Amino acid sequence: SWIGAVLGLPNTRQEEKKAHEEARELLRFVGLRGKGDYIAKNLPYGDQRRLEIGRALASQPKLLLLDGPTAGMNPNETSDLTRFIQRIREELGITILLIEHDMRVVMGISEQITVLDYGQKIAERGPAEIQSNPRVIEAYLGRPASALSEDSFFGSRSQA
């Protein structure tokens, strides 16, 4: 209560001590041990992302939504964060809904993938099936050259 906080009652101090211990444990888990006194904006970009995820983990979710967690990261940061996301799933048993455009990340950590093309679901399978799905390949890489007719590729000959 606010009265306990103002008067520094033992119960309130004990709750505060427990909250600090939990925060330190979360910082350790996300790889930011010893950085609890840093201002978030002064942390490197990858550490800022880890801190954001740590804040979400503090609420003890059953489902963690991550939208473009590796956007703007260099390859090393992306690899580190990918391993970290796998660790969250494995060690904490949290289901993760990942929206990501880096296919190496998606294929590396996903058990089930849903592919959208202009808002429409075109496939839902495991990574291996998604990689070989013709609709997914067409949507993300374009139609194979063999599937294009001369007329559609070069235009109509009658207009020459």
Side-chain angles (χ1 to χ4, degrees):
S1 71
W2 68 271
I3 293 174
V6 170
L7 299 177
L9 298 177
N11 234 9
T12 305
R13 286 195 315 265
Q14 189 174 18
E15 285 178 26
E16 189 173 319
K17 182 180 177 185
K18 183 180 177 198
H20 280 268
E21 288 171 10
E22 289 174 3
R24 278 191 293 277
E25 177 57 26
L26 259 176
L27 287 172
R28 184 203 59 77
F29 181 79
V30 301
L32 297 175
R33 180 188 313 211
K35 296 183 179 180
D37 291 331
Y38 284 45
I39 297 173
K41 71 178 183 177
N42 293 337
L43 291 170
Y45 190 64
D47 286 352
Q48 287 180 23
R49 290 288 172 93
R50 287 175 175 272
L51 180 60
E52 292 169 0
I53 293 171
R55 289 177 59 201
L57 293 175
S59 67
Q60 300 176 344
K62 292 181 193 283
L63 173 66
L64 182 62
L65 306 174
L66 299 175
D67 186 0
T70 64
M73 291 187 167
N74 67 43
N76 288 336
E77 291 170 329
T78 296
S79 180
D80 288 345
L81 192 64
T82 300
R83 284 192 301 275
F84 175 58
I85 293 169
Q86 287 173 317
R87 195 168 144 239
I88 290 170
R89 189 183 70 216
E90 292 166 4
E91 291 182 24
L92 302 180
I94 296 173
T95 299
I96 298 172
L97 176 64
L98 176 72
I99 300 170
E100 181 60 63
H101 297 281
D102 184 331
M103 289 302 108
R104 286 180 299 246
V105 174
V106 173
M107 296 299 170
I109 63 176
S110 301
E111 294 174 354
Q112 183 79 13
I113 300 169
T114 301
V115 180
L116 302 178
D117 185 28
Y118 294 102
Q120 299 295 314
K121 181 168 78 168
I122 62 170
E124 186 169 41
R125 298 265 185 241
E129 294 92 348
I130 291 297
Q131 286 178 323
S132 62
N133 184 301
R135 288 189 69 198
V136 173
I137 293 167
E138 183 178 330
Y140 285 86
L141 298 178
R143 295 174 65 194
S146 62
L148 298 173
S149 71
E150 262 190 8
D151 286 343
S152 67
F153 188 76
F154 294 109
S156 175
R157 292 178 192 228
S158 63
Q159 295 177 354

